[in-house]
Amino acid sequence: MEQYRYRPLRFYMICFVFTWIFWIFAAVVSKSANDDGISALLMLLGLTAPAVTAVITVLTSKNKALKTDLKRKLIGFYRIKPLSIIVAVLGFMVIVVLSILLSVLVGQSLEQFAFTEDFSFSVGGTSALLTILLAAVIEEVGWRGYGEDSVAFYFTWFTESIIFGFVWSLWHLPLFWIEGTYHYGLKELGILYVLNFLIGVIPLGFLTTWVYVKNHRSMLACIIFHLFVNTMQEKIAMTPQTKCVETIIIFFAAAIIVLTNKEMFFEKQHIGNLLDYKEERKTEKGTI
């Protein structure tokens, strides 16, 4: 069977168009007194755009290998290397701890080592916890279901991480105008915090790529990591100023991950060959 060729430009254009249309309408509705949860519904529809696009793209591809790949990434528990996920989770905990400790140098308090009583945002009456859960699952179905692979099919994982990081960052832009969102709160604080979020997403993409590839392109592994990161960002009482420090720490963490996994990030054997499972299984004995 002829090797399937991914179409990243088409995929991301569809994702952006549908996500941004729903989210722009959500921004307008969120400022209305008669919202009644409509903005939350529009946000959910926008959130699902990458996942729906990925699933439809795969199912209509007429390529058996691509369809099997999606299934294995979603329910292939054998792909997961538990120790690598533990390392990723503990690593992000270290990032949070270092960020809080270093934030003391810029006048922040050690009282940030505490859990918040509630979440920092709510959209249209929908709980932030539900939003975080949905985001972790739905986003990963889209990004890992097709989006990340569509770029990695043509580039090394290092280059792919840079490209995807920028794309993922820009995808969030309309959220800064939807009242009640975490992102809207950042915009109210000032442009510095908006830029910090947008910039911080890029090195975070390297961490997620590491989790993804080390777990043999497991969507489940990325869902676990994404959910943990989102929860930590909300439930640990870090100030916006500390999250600026955190972005710097994440950049250093990403650099360390790349330098200690150069073979993974710069190898080219997977380019044009992502769906070759025989080659993938040859590497399953690799280290963390």
Side-chain angles (χ1 to χ4, degrees):
M1 182 180 292
E2 184 180 352
Q3 175 68 261
Y4 175 80
R5 296 193 66 81
Y6 288 84
R7 298 181 179 181
L9 290 178
R10 185 183 70 175
F11 172 78
Y12 284 110
M13 285 180 65
I14 294 173
C15 290
F16 269 71
V17 167
F18 282 97
T19 294
W20 282 23
I21 286 175
F22 284 120
W23 284 358
I24 289 171
F25 276 111
V28 174
V29 174
S30 70
K31 296 174 175 59
S32 169
N34 301 315
D35 185 346
D36 294 330
I38 297 175
S39 61
L41 175 61
L42 291 169
M43 271 193 63
L44 176 61
L45 291 173
L47 178 67
T48 61
V52 172
T53 304
V55 172
I56 292 177
T57 299
V58 172
L59 294 182
T60 59
S61 67
K62 299 181 181 180
N63 187 282
K64 184 178 179 180
L66 187 66
K67 295 176 184 178
T68 302
D69 185 55
L70 178 64
K71 178 182 176 181
R72 287 175 173 170
K73 284 191 291 186
L74 184 59
I75 63 174
F77 294 97
Y78 70 88
R79 290 187 170 201
I80 295 178
K81 296 173 69 175
L83 188 55
S84 68
I85 297 179
I86 292 173
V87 170
V89 167
L90 291 178
F92 196 79
M93 289 179 65
V94 170
I95 288 173
V96 170
V97 170
L98 286 177
S99 299
I100 294 174
L101 290 175
L102 290 175
S103 74
V104 175
L105 300 177
V106 292
Q108 302 305 298
S109 170
L110 289 177
E111 292 180 0
Q112 294 173 96
F113 283 114
F115 290 107
T116 58
E117 293 183 4
D118 202 356
F119 290 91
S120 66
F121 66 94
S122 174
V123 183
T126 302
S127 74
L129 177 60
L130 178 59
T131 303
I132 286 174
L133 289 171
L134 289 173
V137 176
I138 297 174
E139 278 194 54
E140 293 306 324
V141 172
W143 303 140
R144 253 49 69 175
Y146 190 90
E148 186 161 15
D149 287 349
S150 71
V151 180
F153 184 81
Y154 299 97
F155 300 98
T156 65
W157 290 109
F158 179 81
T159 303
E160 181 278 327
S161 296
I162 295 174
I163 294 172
F164 176 74
F166 275 102
V167 172
W168 190 24
S169 175
L170 293 175
W171 180 75
H172 289 86
L173 274 178
L175 293 174
F176 292 97
W177 283 269
I178 303 176
E179 286 193 13
T181 63
Y182 169 77
H183 308 77
Y184 186 86
L186 292 178
K187 186 169 72 73
E188 293 293 287
L189 289 173
I191 188 64
L192 170 64
Y193 302 104
V194 172
L195 291 175
N196 179 65
F197 175 88
L198 295 174
I199 293 171
V201 166
I202 298 171
L204 185 60
F206 279 86
L207 274 62
T208 307
T209 295
W210 180 82
V211 171
Y212 181 57
V213 179
K214 282 298 180 182
N215 285 277
H216 310 298
R217 296 168 54 245
S218 168
M219 197 183 301
L220 287 174
C222 291
I223 289 173
I224 293 170
F225 182 64
H226 195 155
L227 179 58
F228 179 78
V229 170
N230 282 359
T231 303
M232 287 285 286
Q233 294 295 85
E234 269 297 306
K235 294 307 292 180
I236 301 299
M238 287 190 292
T239 64
Q241 292 80 5
T242 298
K243 289 186 178 180
C244 291
V245 176
E246 182 186 44
T247 295
I248 298 173
I249 303 299
I250 293 176
F251 263 106
F252 279 104
I256 291 171
I257 286 175
V258 171
L259 290 174
T260 55
N261 293 270
K262 288 189 288 187
E263 184 176 351
M264 187 204 90
F265 276 100
F266 294 101
E267 60 86 12
K268 297 181 180 180
Q269 291 182 355
H270 73 275
I271 296 177
N273 196 38
L274 275 175
L275 300 179
D276 187 345
Y277 285 98
K278 292 181 181 179
E279 181 63 32
E280 180 183 23
R281 285 180 177 139
K282 289 179 184 178
T283 66
E284 286 191 358
K285 294 182 180 180
T287 60
I288 297 173

